[in-house]
């Protein structure tokens, strides 16, 4: 078995006291079959205590009844102890955690029976620090075991051999880590790589960019803006954008590089969504532009720019894209309806 993973992987250690147990609150955690079977092996009194903290709910997407861990009124998991540790793991061991709890923040993909790759999601603050902070580029290593129990199978989705998938991803990483170019130029080069040599040349239109980003942002966050509100938001963005983003990229370009490289793996780009690789690339780049837009708004509101704010913003935007209802839907719809030339004009800049 072979698994490709970022080298930061081996340095991760969960610590609920540091991160405030973000992954143990406000999430609907499904109890998988293997975990439920483990619960049934316990003594009757232990089973009763555990089963009292489980409940059946209807999944909004499938309509199927699923068993989940109950949450307290404050949103904390019923199994979270006062010392920020999980009672299930403390009392019974890691095998009694659900597959999601045992695996998070790891995201693992199975390409075929022998090949896997994995990364960590930035929605975990501790993982975010490991991923974003290093000045040196992210490197990758090959290991021969996968510890995560929650594994996403891409066997049916991929029409390419695993070796080719790895090569495409590493070619994309090489483009994103080329520090001879700005982040914007790297993203443009990435689009050219996935589209081909005849990628259309178009002058970047800042006014159109602001219009598009405000529309996608407002829909993504479920905000219905009238024309006056949208115009006000566009005006504010255009007034502060260049100055703020200049400072951001001067001081935090390594963080954005690391973020983008990690996203390639943690979301399985350019194979994350249906359609071709360039379509996936448009989604990838647009999601980053939403993050940039959010950062500008944050700096304008807080009147400051520091590494803590940048880090918090990155994993909060990722949290929204990962876990809110339809978080990526508007970005996908935009990418679907925007041809290459218009995309270059309203999203890509040097």
């Amino acid at each position: 078995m072979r698994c490709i993973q970022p080298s930061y992987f081996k340095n991760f250690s969960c610590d609920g006291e540091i991160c405030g147990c973000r992954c143990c609150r406000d999430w609907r955690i499904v109890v998988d079959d293997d975990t439920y079977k483990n619960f049934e092996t316990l003594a009757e009194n232990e089973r009763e205590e555990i089963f009292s903290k489980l409940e059946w709910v209807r999944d909004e997407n499938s309509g199927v009844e699923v068993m989940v861990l109950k949450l307290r009124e404050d949103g904390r998991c019923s199994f979270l102890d006062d010392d920020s540790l999980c009672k299930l793991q403390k009392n019974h061991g890691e095998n009694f955690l659900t597959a999601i709890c045992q695996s998070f923040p790891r995201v693992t993909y199975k390409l075929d029976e022998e090949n896997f790759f994995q990364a960590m999601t930035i929605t975990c603050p501790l993982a975010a620090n490991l991923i974003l902070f290093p000045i040196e580029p992210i490197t990758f290593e090959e290991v021969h075991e996968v510890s995560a129990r929650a594994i996403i199978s891409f066997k049916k989705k991929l029409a390419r051999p695993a070796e080719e998938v790895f090569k495409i991803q590493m070619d994309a990483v090489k483009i994103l880590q080329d520090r001879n170019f700005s982040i914007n130029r790297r993203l443009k080069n990435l689009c050219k790589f996935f589209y081909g040599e005849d990628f259309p040349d178009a002058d970047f239109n800042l006014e159109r960019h602001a219009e598009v980003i405000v529309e996608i942002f407002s829909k993504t966050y479920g905000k219905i803006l009238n024309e006056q509100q949208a115009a006000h938001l566009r005006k504010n963005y255009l007034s502060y954008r260049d100055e703020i983003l200049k400072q951001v990229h001067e001081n935090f370009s390594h963080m954005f590089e690391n973020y983008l490289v990690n996203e390639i793996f943690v979301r399985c780009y350019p194979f994350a969504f249906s359609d071709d690789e360039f379509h996936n690339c448009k989604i990838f780049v647009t999601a980053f532009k939403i993050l940039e837009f959010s950062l500008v708004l944050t700096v304008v509101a807080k009147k400051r720019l520091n590494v803590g704010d940048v880090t918090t913003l990155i994993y909060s935007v990722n949290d929204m894209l990962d876990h809110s209802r339809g978080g990526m839907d508007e970005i996908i719809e935009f990418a679907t309806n925007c041809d290459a030339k218009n995309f270059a004009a309203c999203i890509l800049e040097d």
Side-chain angles (χ1 to χ4, degrees), residues 147-163:
S147 55
R149 285 173 25 219
I151 297 175
I152 303 167
S153 177
F154 262 55
K155 291 172 61 178
K156 294 182 179 179
K157 187 172 183 179
L158 292 174
R160 297 174 180 269
E163 200 62 48

Side-chain angles (χ1 to χ4, degrees), residues 132-167:
L132 299 174
F133 286 175
I135 301 296
E136 293 301 312
I138 291 175
T139 58
F140 294 83
E141 61 187 10
E142 183 177 314
V143 297
H144 300 285
E145 64 177 357
V146 172
S147 55
R149 285 173 25 219
I151 297 175
I152 303 167
S153 177
F154 262 55
K155 291 172 61 178
K156 294 182 179 179
K157 187 172 183 179
L158 292 174
R160 297 174 180 269
E163 200 62 48
E164 193 172 340
V165 172
F166 289 140
K167 184 181 185 307

